[in-house]
């Protein structure tokens, strides 16, 4: 058998790392998939190529995250390799060794935000975001779309690209009123300089194939067609499956394979999915076959009965209403900044963030320069109940001269009052600067 599309795969089950041995996010998540892939002979197919995951460097982490107080404090070796697996696929894709690729790695990453004090929702650093910054820095890719199909809202990825009009983030997820992390509503559509470029599509519990694929067809694909990304990344979380123990959706392996055929991701990176035996091996096999352009019609999980998991009309109706609302927001994205945020030279916000995995509570205040020419320089001041504190300044990719100048003037003026460290991410120069604050 020969694949119609050359598809790269990376497996990294992280054998020696788990939050604890019985935690749903553990290495068996991928061991069953690996078995299935071997049993089905997927790796014997001409054109499906396995790669060994590389490792990311601290410099690559530093483009994306402000880690307290350095990457090693919040990452294990497994985190370096998991993100490294995404990097390996991204490089193989850019070097044209493959037509598309799927990084089957863990620990996952989409709940990790720009500032990192510890683990949130089983995530410490954001694999896709780190990979995207590699695509931008090393290969000059300009417009990227991320479609997050994990059942949970990709709040970390949203946070990292919140002010970035060049990275379109679309998240489909179970309604935040009914599931962790409790966010991802349609009115979260991006910061002032990137209003409209974050798209949240909350779906009711019980959403099955029809509703999910309706949303892809009628909402996600038209937006992607307008945005015209150079690369489509899929945060391929598999916890929408009807057998998943920690969510309430009714999606199937066939549904995931069809979704992949519709979306045509260039790069997929595994996120969640906790139905370790009943779903993951089948969902992953379906996605791999779909990416390779092969027949997946025979991939079915034991006990699959489409009639039993069909959504009712009320659910479908609610989904259609949400899609209409999302498309309206997208259509008015040019006027959205002034309508939602008003006209100001600087925008400020403060918020608190919980790290449920590590039990840390963080306070943040942020200031952003309003800019018509680029994503805008911003500064985050962050402190936690562990008594760590940091100021982080970010000069965005493609920054205008004024935003570059303001970034450095903020960095120079920041004397570290009350902070352990002060950092500057200079994305145009691809530099990371750091100085000690005066906090003991
Ligand atoms: Zn999601
Ligand atoms: Zn999830
Ligand atoms: Zn600017």
């Amino acid at each position: 058998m020969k694949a119609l599309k050359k598809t790269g795969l990376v497996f990294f089950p992280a054998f020696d790392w788990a939050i604890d041995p019985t935690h749903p996010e553990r290495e068996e998540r991928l061991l069953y998939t690996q078995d299935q892939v071997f049993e089905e002979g997927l790796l014997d197919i001409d054109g499906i190529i396995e790669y060994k995951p590389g490792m990311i460097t601290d410099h690559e982490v530093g483009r994306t995250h402000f880690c307290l107080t350095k990457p090693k404090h919040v990452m294990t070796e497994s985190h370096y390799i998991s993100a490294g697996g995404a990097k390996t696929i991204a490089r193989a894709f850019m070097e044209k060794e493959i037509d598309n690729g799927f990084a089957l790695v863990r620990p996952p990453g989409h709940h990790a935000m720009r500032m990192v004090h510890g683990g949130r929702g089983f995530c410490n650093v954001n694999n896709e975001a780190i990979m995207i910054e590699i695509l931008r820095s090393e290969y000059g890719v300009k417009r990227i779309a991320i479609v997050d199909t994990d059942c949970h809202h990709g709040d970390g990825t949203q946070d990292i690209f919140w002010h970035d009009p060049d990275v379109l983030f679309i998240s489909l997820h179970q309604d935040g009123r009914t599931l962790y992390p409790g966010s991802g509503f349609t009115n979260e559509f991006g910061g002032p300089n990137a209003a409209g470029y974050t798209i949240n599509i909350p779906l009711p519990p019980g959403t099955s194939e029809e509703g999910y694929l309706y949303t892809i067809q009628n909402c996600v694909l038209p937006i992607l067609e307008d945005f015209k990304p150079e690369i489509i990344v899929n945060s391929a979380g598999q916890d929408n499956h009807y057998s998943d123990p920690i969510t309430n959706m009714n999606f199937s392996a066939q549904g995931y394979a069809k979704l992949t055929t519709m979306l045509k991701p260039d790069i997929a990176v595994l996120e969640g999915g906790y139905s370790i035996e009943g779903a993951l091996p089948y969902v992953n096999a379906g996605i791999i076959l779909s990416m390779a352009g092969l027949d997946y019609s025979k991939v079915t999980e034991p006990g699959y009965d489409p009639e039993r998991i069909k959504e009712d009309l009320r659910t479908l109706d609610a989904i259609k209403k949400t899609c209409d609302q999302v498309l309206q927001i997208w259509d008015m994205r040019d006027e959205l900044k002034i309508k939602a945020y008003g006209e100001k030279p600087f925008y400020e916000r403060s918020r608190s963030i919980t790290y449920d995995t590590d039990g840390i509570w963080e306070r943040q205040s942020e200031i952003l320069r309003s800019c018509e020419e680029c994503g805008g320089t911003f500064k985050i001041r962050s402190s936690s109940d562990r008594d760590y504190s940091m100021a982080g300044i970010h000069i965005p990719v493609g920054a205008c001269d004024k935003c570059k100048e303001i970034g450095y003037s903020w960095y120079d003026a920041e004397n570290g009052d009350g902070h352990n460290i002060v950092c500057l991410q200079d994305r145009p120069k691809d530099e990371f600067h750091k100085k000690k604050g005066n906090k003991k």
Side-chain angles (χ1 to χ4, degrees), residues 169-245:
F169 177 63
I170 305 179
S171 182
L172 297 94
H173 43 264
Q174 185 177 324
D175 193 320
R177 288 170 297 185
T178 63
L179 191 69
Y180 178 89
S183 53
F185 301 101
T186 51
N187 64 356
E188 297 163 42
F189 45 65
N193 296 335
Y197 293 93
T198 292
I199 290 169
N200 282 300
I201 314 180
L203 299 167
T207 298
S208 182
E209 272 170 55
E210 191 180 355
Y212 207 99
L213 298 178
Y214 174 93
T215 308
I216 298 288
Q217 183 67 46
N218 297 285
C219 195
V220 175
L221 293 182
I223 291 172
L224 287 176
E225 205 157 292
D226 279 351
F227 182 71
K228 298 190 175 37
E230 292 160 53
I231 289 183
I232 297 177
V233 175
N234 180 204
S235 284
Q238 312 186 342
D239 36 12
N240 291 289
H241 194 267
Y242 63 81
S243 68
D244 199 280

Side-chain angles (χ1 to χ4, degrees), residues 362-405:
E362 178 196 4
R363 284 286 312 166
Q364 273 190 16
S365 65
E366 181 191 85
I367 178 163
L368 165 85
R369 176 174 188 253
S370 172
C371 190
E372 296 297 328
E373 293 167 59
C374 75
T377 287
F378 60 82
K379 175 165 83 173
I380 304 169
R381 289 170 173 278
S382 159
S383 58
S384 81
D385 60 353
R386 299 268 172 100
D387 212 25
Y388 279 128
S389 171
M390 178 189 224
I393 296 152
H394 178 84
I395 302 175
V397 175
C400 66
D401 288 343
K402 190 69 195 164
C403 281
K404 287 181 193 164
E405 191 192 310

